[in-house]
Amino acid sequence: ALHEHPDYAMVALDPITGFLGQGDSNMDKDMRPLFEALQQTCARTKTAVVGIIHHNKRSDLDAVQKILGAGSIGHVTRAIWAFSRDAENKEEYYMAKAKGNLSKSGKGGMKYQIVDAEVMLSDGTKDTKPKVGWLGEHDMDANEVDAVIKESAKNVAMTPDTQLGRARLLIAD
Protein backbone atom coordinates (compact mmCIF):
# COMPACT_ATOMS: atom_id res chain seq x y z
CA ALA A 1 0.00 0.00 0.00
CA LEU A 2 2.87 2.40 0.75
CA HIS A 3 4.39 1.76 -2.68
CA GLU A 4 1.01 2.47 -4.26
CA HIS A 5 0.66 5.72 -2.28
CA PRO A 6 4.12 7.34 -2.19
CA ASP A 7 2.59 10.59 -0.89
CA TYR A 8 1.84 8.96 2.49
CA ALA A 9 4.33 10.25 5.05
CA MET A 10 2.99 8.52 8.15
CA VAL A 11 0.88 5.54 9.16
CA ALA A 12 -0.62 5.22 12.65
CA LEU A 13 -1.40 1.78 14.09
CA ASP A 14 -3.58 1.97 17.20
CA PRO A 15 -3.01 -0.40 18.86
CA ILE A 16 -0.12 -1.86 16.94
CA THR A 17 -0.95 -5.33 18.30
CA GLY A 18 -4.12 -5.26 16.18
CA PHE A 19 -1.97 -5.29 13.02
CA LEU A 20 0.43 -8.13 13.82
CA GLY A 21 -1.43 -10.91 12.04
CA GLN A 22 -1.31 -14.45 13.35
CA GLY A 23 2.03 -14.13 15.11
CA ASP A 24 2.23 -14.46 18.88
CA SER A 25 2.99 -10.95 20.15
CA ASN A 26 4.80 -12.45 23.16
CA MET A 27 7.27 -14.45 21.05
CA ASP A 28 10.47 -12.83 19.76
CA LYS A 29 10.70 -15.38 16.94
CA ASP A 30 7.33 -14.13 15.64
CA MET A 31 7.75 -10.40 16.30
CA ARG A 32 11.34 -9.68 15.30
CA PRO A 33 10.87 -10.56 11.60
CA LEU A 34 7.66 -8.50 11.45
CA PHE A 35 9.22 -5.43 13.04
CA GLU A 36 12.41 -5.72 10.99
CA ALA A 37 10.35 -5.95 7.79
CA LEU A 38 8.31 -2.93 8.88
CA GLN A 39 11.53 -1.03 9.62
CA GLN A 40 12.93 -1.86 6.15
CA THR A 41 9.66 -0.83 4.48
CA CYS A 42 9.74 2.51 6.30
CA ALA A 43 13.33 3.10 5.17
CA ARG A 44 12.53 2.26 1.53
CA THR A 45 9.32 4.30 1.35
CA LYS A 46 10.44 7.20 3.60
CA THR A 47 7.32 6.62 5.69
CA ALA A 48 7.07 6.93 9.47
CA VAL A 49 5.00 4.45 11.43
CA VAL A 50 3.55 5.45 14.77
CA GLY A 51 2.46 2.46 16.81
CA ILE A 52 0.45 2.77 20.00
CA ILE A 53 1.09 0.04 22.55
CA HIS A 54 0.35 -0.26 26.24
CA HIS A 55 2.82 -1.13 28.96
CA ASN A 56 2.54 -3.50 31.85
CA LYS A 57 2.29 -2.34 35.45
CA ARG A 58 5.49 -3.95 36.74
CA SER A 59 7.51 -1.41 38.68
CA ASP A 60 10.82 -3.30 38.50
CA LEU A 61 11.31 -2.78 34.74
CA ASP A 62 12.64 0.15 32.77
CA ALA A 63 10.44 1.99 30.26
CA VAL A 64 11.42 -0.12 27.23
CA GLN A 65 11.05 -3.42 29.10
CA LYS A 66 7.54 -2.43 30.21
CA ILE A 67 6.23 -2.62 26.64
CA LEU A 68 3.71 -5.45 26.43
CA GLY A 69 4.75 -8.40 24.32
CA ALA A 70 8.06 -9.71 23.06
CA GLY A 71 11.22 -7.76 23.86
CA SER A 72 12.00 -7.39 20.15
CA ILE A 73 9.06 -4.99 19.80
CA GLY A 74 11.00 -2.42 21.81
CA HIS A 75 14.44 -3.53 20.63
CA VAL A 76 13.81 -3.13 16.90
CA THR A 77 11.85 0.10 17.29
CA ARG A 78 13.98 3.22 16.69
CA ALA A 79 12.16 5.70 18.94
CA ILE A 80 9.89 5.12 21.92
CA TRP A 81 7.98 7.80 23.78
CA ALA A 82 6.20 7.13 27.05
CA PHE A 83 3.14 9.07 28.18
CA SER A 84 2.27 9.45 31.87
CA ARG A 85 -0.07 11.47 34.04
CA ASP A 86 1.55 13.89 36.49
CA ALA A 87 0.94 12.46 39.97
CA GLU A 88 0.72 15.91 41.57
CA ASN A 89 -1.48 17.55 38.93
CA LYS A 90 -3.95 15.12 37.33
CA GLU A 91 -4.68 17.67 34.56
CA GLU A 92 -1.10 17.51 33.25
CA TYR A 93 0.84 14.80 31.45
CA TYR A 94 4.42 13.91 30.56
CA MET A 95 5.68 12.86 27.15
CA ALA A 96 9.17 11.47 27.78
CA LYS A 97 11.75 9.69 25.66
CA ALA A 98 12.21 6.03 26.53
CA LYS A 99 14.44 5.23 23.55
CA GLY A 100 15.85 7.32 20.74
CA ASN A 101 18.29 5.62 18.38
CA LEU A 102 17.86 8.33 15.77
CA SER A 103 18.30 11.43 17.94
CA LYS A 104 21.30 13.18 19.41
CA SER A 105 19.88 14.07 22.79
CA GLY A 106 19.54 11.28 25.31
CA LYS A 107 16.51 12.38 27.24
CA GLY A 108 13.83 14.98 27.73
CA GLY A 109 10.33 15.59 26.53
CA MET A 110 7.30 17.82 26.89
CA LYS A 111 4.61 18.48 29.47
CA TYR A 112 1.10 18.91 28.14
CA GLN A 113 -2.55 18.98 29.04
CA ILE A 114 -5.77 18.27 27.17
CA VAL A 115 -7.67 21.48 26.50
CA ASP A 116 -10.88 22.36 24.70
CA ALA A 117 -10.64 23.93 21.26
CA GLU A 118 -13.45 25.40 19.24
CA VAL A 119 -13.41 24.06 15.68
CA MET A 120 -15.42 24.93 12.60
CA LEU A 121 -17.06 21.87 11.05
CA SER A 122 -17.51 21.41 7.30
CA ASP A 123 -21.23 22.24 7.59
CA GLY A 124 -20.39 25.66 9.06
CA THR A 125 -21.28 24.85 12.66
CA LYS A 126 -18.87 25.16 15.56
CA ASP A 127 -18.04 22.41 18.00
CA THR A 128 -15.67 21.93 20.92
CA LYS A 129 -13.06 19.20 20.61
CA PRO A 130 -10.09 18.20 22.77
CA LYS A 131 -6.56 19.12 21.71
CA VAL A 132 -3.08 19.03 23.16
CA GLY A 133 -2.00 22.18 24.97
CA TRP A 134 1.80 22.13 25.20
CA LEU A 135 3.17 23.40 28.53
CA GLY A 136 6.89 23.31 27.80
CA GLU A 137 9.92 21.08 27.85
CA HIS A 138 11.30 18.98 30.69
CA ASP A 139 14.68 17.28 30.92
CA MET A 140 13.73 13.83 32.26
CA ASP A 141 13.69 10.57 30.36
CA ALA A 142 10.81 8.10 30.77
CA ASN A 143 12.52 6.23 33.61
CA GLU A 144 13.11 9.46 35.54
CA VAL A 145 9.49 10.53 35.03
CA ASP A 146 8.37 7.12 36.31
CA ALA A 147 10.56 7.51 39.42
CA VAL A 148 9.14 11.00 40.12
CA ILE A 149 5.58 9.70 39.76
CA LYS A 150 6.28 6.73 42.07
CA GLU A 151 7.86 8.97 44.71
CA SER A 152 4.99 11.44 44.53
CA ALA A 153 2.42 8.63 44.79
CA LYS A 154 4.26 7.21 47.80
CA ASN A 155 4.22 10.64 49.51
CA VAL A 156 0.52 11.18 48.72
CA ALA A 157 -0.32 7.71 50.04
CA MET A 158 1.04 8.68 53.45
CA THR A 159 -0.98 11.89 53.88
CA PRO A 160 -4.18 11.87 55.92
CA ASP A 161 -6.15 13.74 53.24
CA THR A 162 -6.39 10.72 50.90
CA GLN A 163 -8.40 7.57 51.39
CA LEU A 164 -5.29 5.39 51.06
CA GLY A 165 -3.38 7.65 53.44
CA ARG A 166 -6.11 7.44 56.08
CA ALA A 167 -6.22 3.66 55.74
CA ARG A 168 -2.44 3.39 56.18
CA LEU A 169 -2.53 5.65 59.23
CA LEU A 170 -5.40 3.64 60.71
CA ILE A 171 -3.51 0.37 60.23
CA ALA A 172 -0.33 1.88 61.68
CA ASP A 173 -2.26 3.15 64.73
Side-chain angles (χ1 to χ4, degrees), residues 29-77:
K29 69 178 183 65
D30 291 347
M31 293 300 102
R32 183 168 289 280
L34 283 172
F35 277 82
E36 287 174 344
L38 182 60
Q39 184 182 64
Q40 291 167 4
T41 300
C42 290
R44 277 195 316 273
T45 62
K46 307 273 191 267
T47 306
V49 171
V50 174
I52 310 295
I53 195 164
H54 296 281
H55 63 84
N56 63 44
K57 304 292 187 216
R58 289 185 52 185
S59 62
D60 61 328
L61 301 174
D62 73 22
V64 175
Q65 293 172 326
K66 282 186 177 185
I67 295 171
L68 288 178
S72 58
I73 294 172
H75 298 164
V76 175
T77 303

Side-chain angles (χ1 to χ4, degrees), residues 73-91:
I73 294 172
H75 298 164
V76 175
T77 303
R78 293 291 172 232
I80 299 172
W81 290 89
F83 295 82
S84 311
R85 179 174 284 186
D86 187 323
E88 293 180 11
N89 183 344
K90 300 294 186 191
E91 302 296 316

